Amino acid sequence: MATHITEECINCGACEPECPNEAISEGDDRYVIDPNLCTECVGFHDYEACQAVCPVECCVPDPERRESEETLLERARKLHPEKSFPSVADLPNDLSRFRSAKKK
């Protein structure tokens, strides 16, 4: 699932600089996330960085756009060809919220 920003957004902008993919931008009345750039921080963190800094917790997985860990990691590879990412099988727990959820 790509993350999206709900109507509860207070337009503070805290999330924008946290995105490793520059997927967040200012919309008309709230910030928005480009789902084609969002990787839910897979390959970067075991949490969604935008949600971690959001004061109203409005950055949430989009139930209309479910995506696998593999899909998100492949998108990260395409967006950051200069960065080395481990294979899905070797992806450590601290680089995917999918894995951190499994270990709990």
Side-chain angles (χ1 to χ4, degrees):
M1 292 178 230
T3 301
H4 73 147
I5 299 175
T6 65
E7 293 178 5
E8 287 78 27
C9 176
I10 59 172
N11 216 20
C12 70
C15 57
E16 185 179 21
E18 299 303 313
C19 181
N21 303 311
E22 298 180 0
I24 302 173
S25 61
E26 191 171 4
D28 291 336
D29 34 340
R30 67 177 180 227
Y31 277 77
V32 294
I33 298 176
D34 181 339
N36 296 311
L37 298 177
C38 180
T39 62
E40 296 180 39
C41 291
V42 170
F44 297 95
H45 311 290
D46 68 346
Y47 59 91
E48 293 164 287
C50 55
Q51 178 65 4
V53 298
C54 180
V56 293
E57 299 182 9
C58 65
C59 301
V60 297
D62 185 348
E64 301 297 317
R65 189 175 173 117
R66 297 187 181 274
E67 296 176 300
S68 69
E69 180 182 46
E70 293 84 3
T71 298
L72 296 167
L73 185 59
E74 184 57 32
R75 183 175 299 137
R77 283 191 185 104
K78 287 179 182 175
L79 292 170
H80 302 277
E82 74 290 350
K83 183 173 170 32
S84 177
F85 292 94
S87 69
V88 171
D90 296 327
L91 193 63
N93 290 345
D94 65 340
L95 297 184
S96 175
R97 70 170 186 77
F98 289 81
R99 308 253 167 158
S100 62
K102 288 179 185 177
K103 68 180 178 182
K104 290 179 182 175

